[in-house]
Amino acid sequence: MTAEIIDGKAFAASLRTKVAAQVSLLAADSHPDGALQPGLAVVLVGEDPASQVYVRNKARQTQEVGMRSFEHRLEATTGQAELLSLVERLNRDPAVHGILVQLPLPAQIDAAAVINAIDPAKDVDGFHILNAGRLATGQDALVPCTPLGCLMMLQARFGDLSGQHAVVLGRSNIVGKPMAQLLLAANCTVTVAHSRSRDLPAICREADILVAAVGRPRMVAADWIKPGATVIDVGINRLEPEAPGGKGWLVGDVDFEAASRVAAAITPVPGGVGPMTIACLLANTLTAACRASGRAAPDLQ
Ligand code: GUN
């Protein structure tokens, strides 16, 4: 069997086109409060090279869909109070509808306190405890972008996900836990497995849908996958170049070549989940802006 490649780049391009069309409608809107231009503020503390690349991509794509982008770069030595005061300023700024504080944060900063200081209505990452709680209890929430992107690709493939056995490998607040909540809400039978689970290969082999989000390069081998399963690889791991001065390359948490011979469908790395994450961030910003102005959030499915 050779798996179908799930083209996250194409999904993301299509979602961005829908977001851009809605942003144009808002710009020409005759709503009583006037036209609206959604705005996204991204805060980066320090100089982590991977985070700098993400933040640059987010800012570029935000502008490309017609939204305002606000970038705040702070020194790696920034203290908690200074970061909290920036978040509070962004909470009050009516031009800012979405706030994203890039993780990881330097060790002197309490990341949970910063995330929970963001206005939940502007929490386009969906990491605030109120949004996490709403998602867990089936209430309207801003949903974390990476799992939201995974769910959209799965729903495009399967339509109704009812009754599918989904195994989520990884239990982070950013991906694993919200992914499990979303799949549960979509009527899957969900198993969450992690580094302390006994016999991971056997658990994974039960999966109709396997979502790998562990951050370990190529950990999921072909014989962990049930023939005909759908595999979503969230991992983005940079391998060292083979020759000094050469370019490193990116691999996922799944051994892609081998897994492609067993699975029915699989996301590649790069070009799978990654592009969908940013597209979902733009979708969440649009949702937040519409709600803030008393408009209904558009359906982007
Ligand atoms: N770092 C890695 N992924 C993410 C993300 O989705 N949001 C934020 N804020 N930081 C991240």
Side-chain angles (χ1 to χ4, degrees), residues 163-228:
Q164 302 277 353
H165 185 183
V167 173
V168 179
L169 201 47
R171 54 177 160 174
S172 70
N173 291 336
I174 295 182
V175 183
K177 285 179 199 158
M179 185 78 252
Q181 297 290 1
L182 284 172
L183 291 165
L184 203 52
N187 301 315
C188 291
T189 302
V190 180
T191 302
V192 181
H194 49 80
S195 55
R196 303 288 178 91
S197 296
R198 246 181 275 136
D199 203 349
L200 278 178
I203 295 171
C204 292
R205 271 193 294 273
E206 295 288 315
D208 303 312
I209 294 168
L210 177 61
V211 181
V214 272
R216 302 264 309 267
R218 295 180 178 139
M219 185 171 100
V220 177
D223 65 357
W224 293 31
I225 295 168
K226 174 156 91 176

Side-chain angles (χ1 to χ4, degrees), residues 62-111:
T62 303
Q63 288 165 353
E64 280 172 5
V65 296
M67 296 183 184
R68 290 183 78 185
S69 167
F70 306 92
E71 254 181 84
H72 295 268
R73 290 170 183 268
L74 305 179
E75 305 265 332
T77 53
T78 299
Q80 172 101 354
E82 191 185 337
L83 182 53
L84 284 175
S85 100
L86 171 59
V87 167
E88 278 151 24
R89 191 148 52 80
L90 296 172
N91 282 344
R92 287 192 302 270
D93 186 341
V96 172
H97 304 96
I99 302 169
L100 179 146
V101 178
Q102 184 68 29
L103 302 177
L105 287 166
Q108 74 275 13
I109 291 176
D110 176 351

Side-chain angles (χ1 to χ4, degrees), residues 54 58 100-104 125 127 145-146 174 277:
Y54 290 139
K58 283 169 189 165
L100 179 146
V101 178
Q102 184 68 29
L103 302 177
D125 258 329
F127 295 164
C145 305
T146 299
I174 295 182
T277 296

Side-chain angles (χ1 to χ4, degrees), residues 39-52:
L40 172 65
V42 175
V43 180
L44 175 62
V45 185
E47 268 139 40
D48 177 62
S51 293
Q52 284 184 325

